Amino acid sequence: LLLDALKAEPEHAELLCNYGGLLLDDARKDYATAEQSFAAALRVQPDHVTALTFYGLYVQEFRREHQEAERLLTRAVQLDPQHPDALSHLGTFLGKVKQDFAGAEMLYRQVMEVDPLHVNTICNRGLVVQATGGDMAGAEAYYD
């Protein structure tokens, strides 16, 4: 259905972004086409927050271009400071790449204010607590 929608509307940024996200899925692992889809979404709509977010994640994880990933993720948060995925992925970038656990925790707290059940953020907050040697019982609570 998604491919049919893209055939009908090949310049639809949201569809291109969703298709890229689907291709990043562990089962598909079509990273080259995912990258093309995110890039196409951003050509159509350069300020598409979700495309910036997931392209930033792609650049971080698969191209290992951390400066570009940070630029994309930061831009997404600047455009929508309450976008849960943008905040969460920027937080993960800060913790994972920059070892800035305080910055990551701050962003995770912002996500939890907007979406208290944001699963990735709940898990990542637990990882930050664990990585910083914080309250392990508190960290385990994030996984319950």
Side-chain angles (χ1 to χ4, degrees):
L1 289 174
L2 190 54
L3 287 175
D4 290 340
L6 276 170
K7 285 179 187 173
E9 294 188 63
E11 299 293 309
H12 192 284
E14 188 72 21
L15 289 173
L16 288 162
C17 182
N18 288 339
Y19 185 55
L22 176 68
L23 294 171
L24 282 183
D25 184 82
D26 289 337
R28 296 194 185 251
K29 296 183 181 178
D30 186 352
Y31 304 129
T33 307
E35 180 175 22
Q36 292 169 1
S37 294
F38 294 134
L42 291 171
R43 276 193 303 278
V44 172
Q45 191 176 338
D47 289 339
H48 191 280
V49 174
T50 303
L52 286 164
T53 299
F54 288 103
Y55 194 34
L57 176 65
Y58 171 85
V59 168
Q60 173 191 329
E61 294 294 322
F62 300 103
R63 288 192 359 214
R64 303 277 190 232
E65 294 177 12
H66 295 147
Q67 189 173 8
E68 177 65 3
E70 184 173 24
R71 184 191 71 77
L72 291 163
L73 293 167
T74 299
R75 179 70 180 140
V77 170
Q78 288 170 341
L79 290 167
D80 186 351
Q82 294 192 330
H83 191 284
D85 288 327
L87 290 164
S88 186
H89 287 302
L90 181 56
T92 301
F93 173 86
L94 290 177
K96 188 174 186 179
V97 175
K98 296 213 165 194
Q99 302 294 295
D100 177 3
F101 298 115
E105 176 64 21
M106 181 191 72
L107 290 170
Y108 293 152
R109 286 182 191 275
Q110 287 179 251
V111 174
M112 300 306 290
E113 289 174 14
V114 176
D115 183 357
L117 300 176
H118 194 267
V119 174
N120 286 338
T121 300
I122 292 168
C123 291
N124 288 335
R125 279 187 82 187
L127 291 171
V128 165
V129 171
Q130 183 179 2
T132 58
D135 174 22
M136 290 308 288
E140 289 175 1
Y142 291 114
Y143 299 110
D144 287 337

